[in-house]
Amino acid sequence: MQQQVDVGTWLAQVATALTDRADELTATLIALYERELPHLVHDDESMVSLLAASVFANIDTALQIFQRDMDPERVEAPAAAVEYARRLAQRGTPVIDLIRAYYLGQAAVLEKALEEGTSRIPDAEQLGRSLRHAVSTTFRFIDRVTRQVMAAYEEERGRWLLNRSAVRATRVRAVLDGEVADIGASEAALGYRLRGDHVGLVAWYPEHADSGDPLSGLEILAHRLGRWATSGGGDPLFVPHDELTAWVWLPLSSSALDVAEVERQVSELDDQVRVALGDPAHGLDGFRSTHRQALRVQALSLAAGKESARVLAFADVGAVALMTSDLPSARTWVEYVLGPLAVDDPQSERLRTTLRVFLATGSSYTAAAGLLAMHKNSVQYRVRKAEDLLAVPLAERRLDVELALKLCDRLGGAVLTRP
C-alpha cells in the first residue's frame, strides 16, 4: 500500500512540474510533427493553431490524470482534439497520420517525464515502479482518446463525403442539363476543367459483387485511371450515382484513349468492376456527349450480362448502343451479317478472331500473322474459310462485318447463335 502511495505522490509531483512546462512541451511536439508529419504543420494558420490547441489540451488532460489520481478510462477526449480530428477528416488526411501523432507525442512526453522523474525520485526502485505505472496509465489514456477521436473522424468523414457528393452531383446534373450560366464558377466548384479534353465513363459493380465498400473501390480506380490518362496531372471528376455505380470524367492529356490500357488497369485493380467508356471529346458539349455515350454503352453491357467484356467502349459498340440495348435484336442482326460464322463454338471463334484482326490491320496477312503469332499461310486459310461462311459479301458490306465481329468479341455469347 505504501509503495502505491509513494508512486502516486512521486508521479503527481512530476506531473505538476511538467504542467508548468506545458507550453514548452506543446512546442516540442509541434517541432516533432514538423519532422515526422510535416503536412500536419505546413498547413494554413487555422489548422496549425487547432493542432497546437489539441496538443496542449491532451497534455494538460494527461497530466491532470496523475495530479488528481483519475481513472484514464473515464476521461473524455478534449474538445480541441475532437475538433481537430473532424477537420482532418474534411480534408481527407489519412486517419493513420492522426493516430501516429498521438503515439509520437506519447513517447516524447514520457521522455520528458523520465528526465523530470530521475531528478526528483532518489530511489532507483521507486523510480522504476513510477515509470512502469506512468507508461501503463498513459497507454490507457492514449488508447481511450484515440478511440474517441477516431470515431469522430470516421463520423465526420462519412458525413462530409455524403454532403460533398450530394453537392457535386447536383452541380454535375446542372451541367448535363445545360443549366450552367457561369462555366468558370462551375469549374471552381467541381474542381474540374469543363473546357478541356476528357472522356466520360460509367464504372460499376454488378449486383451481388463481393466488395465491402464499392464506391471507395470505384474512386480508387478513377484516380488510378486519371493519373494514367493525364500522365500524372489532373484529378478525375468522380460522382457517385448509387451505391454500386459512379459517373466519372477523366481529363486527357491528348485526344486519344488507349482502351487496352484501361482494360489492363481495371483488371489489375479489381476483376469484378465493369466500365463503359464514351469517346474522347472536348469542351462543355463534349463533357455531355461523352457521358451520354458511356450511359448507352453501360445499358448495352447490362443487357449482355456476364457475357459482356469488363470494359466496353463506344468506339467498339457505339452503333448498336445508339440503336438499341435489345440484345435479341442485336443477335438477329449479327446472324444476318455473319451467317454461320456467328455460331458460339471454338472453331467459329478462331475464324472470327482471325478475320477481325485481318481487317483491323488493313487486310494485311503479314501484319495479322504477327499479331496472332501464326504463319501467314494459316491466316490466309482462315480468312478464306471465314469469308465463305459470311452471310453477306465482305467486299460489299465490310463495315457491317467489322462491326458484327467487334460485337462478338466484346459481347460474346450475348450476340452469338447457339450451336
Side-chain angles (χ1 to χ4, degrees):
M1 179 64 70
Q2 183 61 41
Q3 290 180 350
Q4 292 179 354
V5 172
D6 290 343
V7 166
T9 300
W10 288 121
L11 288 179
Q13 292 179 10
V14 170
T16 300
L18 291 177
T19 298
D20 295 335
R21 300 167 56 191
D23 289 333
E24 173 194 335
L25 290 174
T26 299
T28 298
L29 264 60
I30 297 298
L32 172 64
Y33 298 152
E34 186 170 17
R35 294 194 304 272
E36 299 294 333
L37 298 165
H39 55 287
L40 295 185
V41 179
H42 298 163
D43 206 333
D44 64 59
E45 185 177 346
S46 64
M47 283 298 290
V48 176
S49 296
L50 189 54
L51 169 62
S54 172
V55 170
F56 183 90
N58 277 316
I59 291 173
D60 182 66
T61 303
L63 294 176
Q64 286 189 45
I65 290 174
F66 294 104
Q67 289 176 291
R68 302 180 181 183
D69 192 25
M70 298 164 59
D71 181 358
E73 295 294 336
R74 299 174 65 85
V75 171
E76 297 298 318
V82 173
E83 180 59 24
Y84 184 64
R86 287 179 177 148
R87 294 281 290 277
L88 289 181
Q90 294 172 6
R91 288 163 172 255
T93 303
V95 71
I96 188 63
D97 292 342
L98 177 62
I99 304 308
R100 186 165 179 241
Y102 271 90
Y103 286 103
L104 286 172
Q106 178 190 19
V109 173
L110 281 174
E111 184 176 348
K112 296 296 183 182
L114 174 60
E115 294 174 2
E116 193 70 40
T118 301
S119 67
R120 289 177 175 276
I121 304 175
D123 182 74
E125 184 178 352
Q126 289 180 331
L127 177 62
R129 289 198 305 271
S130 298
L131 289 177
R132 283 194 295 273
H133 182 70
V135 170
S136 173
T137 302
T138 55
F139 175 81
R140 292 165 62 202
F141 167 70
I142 293 296
D143 180 64
R144 166 81 170 169
V145 171
T146 53
R147 279 188 279 121
Q148 292 182 47
V149 297
M150 282 179 65
Y153 177 99
E154 295 297 341
E155 179 182 2
E156 181 65 18
R157 185 64 179 159
R159 186 189 67 80
W160 180 262
L161 289 176
L162 181 63
N163 290 345
R164 187 186 68 174
S165 295
V167 171
R168 178 175 290 179
T170 299
R171 288 187 176 274
V172 165
R173 289 183 185 278
V175 173
L176 293 174
D177 293 340
E179 299 172 358
V180 175
D182 187 338
I183 297 179
S186 294
E187 288 180 328
L190 292 172
Y192 182 85
R193 189 165 181 266
L194 297 169
R195 290 170 284 194
D197 292 316
H198 28 234
V199 63
L201 64 90
V202 179
W204 72 97
Y205 278 92
E207 292 286 346
H208 313 302
D210 183 18
S211 175
D213 189 352
L215 288 178
S216 292
L218 296 178
E219 188 166 17
I220 290 171
L221 173 64
H223 283 279
R224 181 169 178 170
L225 290 174
R227 288 193 298 270
W228 160 74
T230 59
S231 302
D235 291 329
L237 177 58
F238 180 88
V239 180
H241 180 58
D242 59 35
E243 63 182 7
L244 295 174
T245 308
W247 294 350
V248 182
W249 286 261
L250 304 178
L252 297 177
S253 53
S254 69
S255 59
L257 183 73
D258 186 346
V259 176
E261 179 62 20
V262 175
E263 291 178 331
R264 188 184 70 80
Q265 297 269 356
V266 171
S267 180
E268 285 185 358
L269 186 65
D270 192 334
D271 61 7
Q272 296 184 92
V273 174
R274 299 292 183 265
V275 173
L277 291 162
D279 280 343
H282 178 77
L284 187 59
D285 288 340
F287 180 89
R288 296 169 180 143
S289 65
T290 188
H291 174 67
R292 287 195 296 267
Q293 291 169 349
L295 289 177
R296 290 275 193 174
V297 174
Q298 184 202 20
L300 188 63
S301 177
L302 291 173
K306 64 181 181 181
E307 301 284 356
S308 175
R310 284 198 297 269
V311 176
L312 278 184
F314 189 80
D316 288 337
V317 298
V320 171
L322 286 173
M323 291 185 294
T324 181
S325 59
D326 177 9
L327 266 298
S329 297
R331 188 184 305 115
T332 299
W333 181 80
V334 167
E335 184 180 10
Y336 166 74
V337 173
L338 298 184
L341 194 59
V343 174
D344 188 8
D345 62 29
Q347 180 180 358
S348 298
E349 182 179 5
R350 286 191 294 270
L351 295 178
R352 286 194 302 270
T353 299
T354 304
L355 182 58
R356 177 174 54 81
V357 173
F358 170 72
L359 295 174
T361 56
S363 300
S364 169
Y365 293 110
T366 302
L371 290 175
L372 294 168
M374 293 170 55
H375 192 278
K376 178 180 176 180
N377 291 342
S378 297
V379 174
Q380 290 177 323
Y381 170 77
R382 287 190 183 181
V383 167
R384 284 197 301 270
K385 191 166 184 180
E387 285 191 79
D388 290 340
L389 293 173
L390 289 175
V392 298
L394 178 60
E396 297 176 13
R397 303 284 294 275
R398 177 176 175 133
L399 289 178
D400 284 348
V401 171
E402 287 193 78
L403 175 57
L405 290 171
K406 278 188 176 182
L407 289 177
C408 293
D409 178 54
R410 308 309 291 166
L411 300 181
V415 294
L416 293 173
T417 305
R418 304 303 180 204

